[in-house]
Amino acid sequence: MNEIFIGKKSSAAGGWGALKSCGKQLLQSGSPLTGARTMLKANQPDGFDCPGCAWGDPEHGSSFEFCENGVKAVSWEATEKRATPAFFAKHTVTELSKLSDYELELNGRITHPMRYDRQSDTYQPVAWEDAFAEIGDILKGLDTPDQAEFYTSGRASNEAAYLYQLFVRIFGTNNFPDCSNMCHEASGVGLRQAIGVGKGTVLLEDFEKADAIFVLGQNPGTNHPRMLGDLRRAAMRGAKIVVFNPIKERGLERFSDPQDKLEMLHGGSTEIASHYFQPCLGGDMAAVRGMSKAIFAADDAAIAKGEPSVLDHAFLNEHCDGLNDYRTAVDATSWSEIEDQSGLSRPEIEQAAAVYLSAERVICTWAMGITQHLHSVPTIREIANFMFLRGNIGKPGAGLCPVRGHSNVQGDRTVGINEKPSDAFLDALEKEFGFTVPRRHGHNVLAAIGAMLDGSAKAFIGLGGNFARATPDSALVEKAMKSLRLTVNIATKPNHSHLMPGETSFILPCLGRTEIDLNSQGQSQVVSVEDSMSMVHGSAGINRPASPHLLSEVAIIAGIAEATVGSNIVSWASLADDYERIRSHIEATIPGFADYNTRLRKPRGFHLRNDAAHREWNTPSGKATFANTALPRLTVHQQARQNQKTDGGKSQFALQTFRSHDQYNTTVYGLDDRYRGVYGERKVIFIHPDDLAMLDAKSGDRVDVMCEYDDGIERIADDFRFVSYDIPRGSVAGYYPELNVLVPLGSAGDQSDTPTSKSVMVSFRTEKSA
């Protein structure tokens, strides 16, 4: 390990550091000129949708609509390095398993379909038709279709996802574990309850009109850097940006826009957050409840003085249900409870509320810092309550904005990747295709893993992603994967999920988003994706495929489907040869896609109507609905503090996992995190300096991290190193997937079933305590 791993943090996000990183990534790809030319087509009307984040594209696009992470994603895909059959013949699966995620994916693009040979412990090339036939035979040989799990990553296009769900439902199951189960499931559940639709209500243009933007539990500088440009422009025109995030993140403090020549020339930057508050882990609901309490108090004071109410009573009376019960719940919540649970003081919370009260148009935006807790759904309901009070939904410059991760994770759900499909959607499928659809709800991610472990699941097919490294409880998931009769991974590069083969295992290499996808007539095919703002737009690759042996995701799905269910109901080959036919079926079965093929040709596509944004509420009451849920009895940081008192001084902490700046989801592009000042190292634990002193430790000390979860399973992440950092006392943080081993499979969000990766109880074993 690098002994000098703590260095200087970037003074601002973006800037020359971002440009240097982009150059480094392009050089590392082996084809810097091709990579640079490719980036000019990223997120452009005549180009491809960046395979990175789901941040929206403006209607008035600039010359460059990419960011540092986009360059990393594209250069990683466009690398000249190749994982050929010779590579797999040279290295056993056992040997490859010892590589880090970074080292493994450095081997480049997979060039041929591969089948695992247990005798030699290697992957060996296989013909496409033989792979499809064997996969189909195994699936058809299962006792029931419900013994198979069909995972989807958010990188899949609308066309691939729709074809996938169609195949699986003709096969006979609704088992659709999906990457959204691990990130924004709580957003969908909470928003459907509150406003009747599980998506955000804003357009990108609303960020140009907002007077205040509340940013909760997210780190745009690393996770969706193009968002920083919109926050910067908002800050420059005087909008207040209020941040609630446990850790001080450089991108939310300052941003230097690489497209601003003067700012770059002078080495300047723009302050992003006007107010930055650091709640303890899991304390966001209490913080938002506190702001609502302050707003009600301000309203009472105004009325007592004979002044106008600060609440939007016209909106509340016409559009909302449950206000009085919510007010009762707020009144019953004491300030001492709010302060203890949030980790913030009453004056801090009242200061944030004052910003809200002074703004006519407010956007509230959040990510996984909100959604990966036990009480994430109630927290999102609390955010909606807060926004209802002054009518900040359904008007320009205001609304709710969950920021998704992968570029099409929202689109996959829209076109049918859902283990709990609506009756209306299933009815539409039956009418369009003339088969009896399965009606029983299927498995999400955690249920799928449970079925693998208890033996009721026998097969797994992964449409993209790195299932084994994205999921919690790494050791249990590895055991689950290796127990299966069949594992199939549709992928572009090697990852650790491929190294946990079942009895029969295939790696099926697909085209990347940047690559040309030709049909049998030599015509380039266009796919479509949906961003976080419900904009649907086209994406067409421009680069030569990494190998002539690659197939598109659509073609691979069609091949498996043909071998499994035949073509009596659907002509899979016909659909794979013309994606417009797939879009015609989407148009016929999913609302909002009328005239799909025509509208997709328009620059930057079209918007899927969001009823709540028009103040139409598809809830049981027909109105936007307040929730009156009490705060959690104890959050994880409160439990950790309480346990330290009752366990005779044993130090416990609340852990959150997050990304480094050199990664996107489970893909690790490098070993540096310059925004946090960590270099050449990933096995680190960020901790408050006073907590370090309490442990009689210092930065750089080695430590084993122990999960404190009472299910009889020992979970240890060994040989990590402390990093002193600006984080609330009692809270610690570190990178996934390395720390996923500590996230218990049995700990999941109420109503969302999302792993609680932001609230893991841990303790430390140092050399002194061993």
Side-chain angles (χ1 to χ4, degrees), residues 418-456:
N418 193 332
E419 78 280 4
K420 298 176 181 178
S422 70
D423 287 338
F425 175 63
L426 295 181
D427 291 343
L429 286 181
E430 285 191 344
K431 180 180 178 181
E432 178 74 1
F433 296 100
F435 73 100
T436 301
V437 300
R439 296 278 173 168
R440 188 172 70 175
H441 288 172
H443 292 158
N444 62 15
V445 165
L446 296 189
I449 296 170
M452 295 178 198
L453 288 169
D454 68 22
S456 58

Side-chain angles (χ1 to χ4, degrees), residues 524-561:
S524 179
Q525 304 250 49
V526 175
V527 297
S528 58
V529 298
E530 178 186 346
D531 64 30
S532 285
M533 282 74 179
S534 299
M535 290 295 297
V536 178
H537 48 272
S539 175
I542 62 173
N543 289 339
R544 176 173 55 87
S547 164
H549 303 285
L550 303 182
L551 295 179
S552 69
E553 289 179 322
V554 170
I556 293 171
I557 295 163
I560 296 173

Side-chain angles (χ1 to χ4, degrees), residues 317-562:
N317 292 335
E318 181 179 355
H319 293 286
C320 293
D321 182 53
L323 172 62
N324 291 336
D325 289 341
Y326 177 59
R327 175 67 192 265
T328 299
V330 172
D331 289 344
T333 310
S334 69
W335 273 110
S336 61
E337 183 181 0
I338 290 169
E339 288 180 307
D340 188 67
Q341 191 161 113
S342 70
L344 301 174
S345 68
R346 178 175 175 174
E348 287 177 308
I349 295 172
E350 289 176 333
Q351 185 182 17
V355 175
Y356 183 76
L357 287 169
S358 68
E360 289 297 318
R361 297 170 296 275
V362 178
I363 290 173
C364 190
T365 176
W366 67 90
M368 289 187 289
I370 296 297
T371 64
Q372 292 183 325
H373 296 278
L374 285 169
H375 58 288
S376 290
V377 171
T379 299
I380 288 158
R381 295 296 306 274
E382 193 72 24
I383 291 170
N385 293 343
F386 170 66
M387 295 290 279
F388 293 157
L389 293 178
R390 286 175 55 81
N392 275 304
I393 297 177
K395 64 182 181 182
L400 298 160
C401 182
V403 182
R404 313 285 176 166
H406 257 133
S407 66
N408 199 41
V409 65
Q410 185 161 300
D412 288 351
R413 273 300 177 90
T414 298
V415 301
I417 300 296
N418 193 332
E419 78 280 4
K420 298 176 181 178
S422 70
D423 287 338
F425 175 63
L426 295 181
D427 291 343
L429 286 181
E430 285 191 344
K431 180 180 178 181
E432 178 74 1
F433 296 100
F435 73 100
T436 301
V437 300
R439 296 278 173 168
R440 188 172 70 175
H441 288 172
H443 292 158
N444 62 15
V445 165
L446 296 189
I449 296 170
M452 295 178 198
L453 288 169
D454 68 22
S456 58
K458 305 294 184 183
F460 170 90
I461 296 181
L463 178 58
N466 186 355
F467 182 82
R469 298 295 275 165
T471 46
D473 235 334
S474 307
L476 282 181
V477 171
E478 181 173 358
K479 177 183 176 183
M481 294 289 286
K482 289 181 175 180
S483 71
L484 296 172
R485 189 179 304 168
L486 172 70
T487 54
V488 179
N489 285 281
I490 300 168
T492 56
K493 302 181 77 174
N495 65 52
H496 275 279
S497 291
H498 309 160
L499 308 179
M500 302 173 189
E503 183 179 329
T504 301
S505 185
F506 293 92
I507 305 173
L508 303 182
C510 63
L511 295 171
R513 186 75 61 79
T514 64
E515 292 170 326
I516 299 170
D517 178 3
L518 299 178
N519 65 10
S520 62
Q521 288 77 47
Q523 299 168 328
S524 179
Q525 304 250 49
V526 175
V527 297
S528 58
V529 298
E530 178 186 346
D531 64 30
S532 285
M533 282 74 179
S534 299
M535 290 295 297
V536 178
H537 48 272
S539 175
I542 62 173
N543 289 339
R544 176 173 55 87
S547 164
H549 303 285
L550 303 182
L551 295 179
S552 69
E553 289 179 322
V554 170
I556 293 171
I557 295 163
I560 296 173
E562 170 73 29

Side-chain angles (χ1 to χ4, degrees), residues 579-593:
Y579 298 172
E580 289 201 357
R581 293 170 183 160
I582 301 175
R583 288 191 284 271
S584 293
H585 287 305
I586 294 174
E587 177 180 339
T589 53
I590 301 175
F593 285 91

Side-chain angles (χ1 to χ4, degrees), residues 11-281:
S11 59
W16 291 107
L19 292 181
K20 181 179 178 180
S21 176
C22 289
K24 177 182 176 181
Q25 291 295 327
L26 291 171
L27 286 172
Q28 183 175 279
S29 74
S31 54
L33 293 179
T34 298
R37 286 194 297 268
T38 302
M39 290 311 307
L40 295 177
K41 291 292 186 180
N43 301 313
Q44 297 297 323
D46 60 344
F48 63 93
D49 186 77
C50 177
C53 76
W55 190 247
D57 303 330
E59 290 186 5
H60 44 76
S62 70
S63 300
F64 305 105
E65 285 300 337
F66 60 85
C67 64
E68 178 183 349
N69 270 12
V71 172
K72 291 174 182 177
V74 169
S75 62
W76 208 245
E77 179 180 290
T79 177
E80 288 294 314
K81 298 174 183 177
R82 300 289 182 263
T84 64
F87 163 79
F88 285 104
K90 183 179 178 181
H91 302 286
T92 66
V93 165
T94 302
E95 292 169 349
L96 293 174
S97 298
K98 296 176 182 177
L99 299 178
S100 69
D101 298 273
Y102 173 64
E103 293 168 329
L104 183 60
E105 294 202 35
L106 272 180
N107 290 289
R109 295 289 299 280
I110 305 167
T111 60
H112 293 68
M114 308 296 292
R115 183 187 190 280
Y116 181 63
D117 177 66
R118 191 164 299 277
Q119 185 173 359
S120 64
D121 191 30
T122 61
Y123 275 98
Q124 299 181 359
V126 61
W128 279 108
E129 57 270 24
D130 293 339
F132 293 151
E134 188 170 5
I135 293 167
D137 286 344
I138 294 173
L139 290 177
K140 288 184 290 186
L142 297 176
D143 295 336
T144 168
D146 288 331
Q147 290 184 327
E149 308 290 348
F150 296 89
Y151 176 70
T152 317
S153 161
R155 56 152 284 162
S157 66
N158 285 341
E159 292 74 14
Y162 186 83
L163 204 67
Y164 196 48
Q165 67 81 30
L166 180 60
F167 151 55
V168 172
R169 291 191 165 107
I170 292 174
F171 178 58
T173 186
N174 284 310
N175 284 350
F176 285 110
D178 178 54
C179 64
S180 63
N181 298 149
M182 295 179 284
C183 53
H184 268 286
E185 193 70 46
S187 296
V189 173
L191 290 178
R192 278 192 296 273
Q193 294 172 358
I195 62 173
V197 60
K199 300 181 182 182
T201 65
V202 303
L203 293 171
L204 195 60
E205 286 66 34
D206 287 315
F207 281 81
E208 301 172 2
K209 304 168 186 174
D211 301 311
I213 301 169
F214 281 67
V215 181
L216 282 71
Q218 62 176 304
N219 176 20
T222 290
N223 301 340
H224 25 267
R226 284 195 297 147
M227 181 181 181
L228 291 184
D230 293 286
L231 293 179
R232 174 181 178 270
R233 287 185 284 274
M236 290 181 70
R237 63 176 174 78
K240 301 298 183 183
I241 298 176
V242 181
V243 174
F244 288 85
N245 198 63
I247 289 185
K248 280 288 183 75
E249 298 288 14
R250 186 60 80 216
L252 289 170
E253 294 178 297
R254 305 197 68 84
F255 177 55
S256 179
D257 189 350
Q259 296 192 47
D260 187 318
K261 297 180 179 63
L262 284 176
E263 194 166 70
M264 293 292 288
L265 181 64
H266 296 292
S269 61
T270 301
E271 185 176 24
I272 300 299
S274 58
H275 303 75
Y276 204 125
F277 304 105
Q278 293 178 265
C280 292
L281 284 179

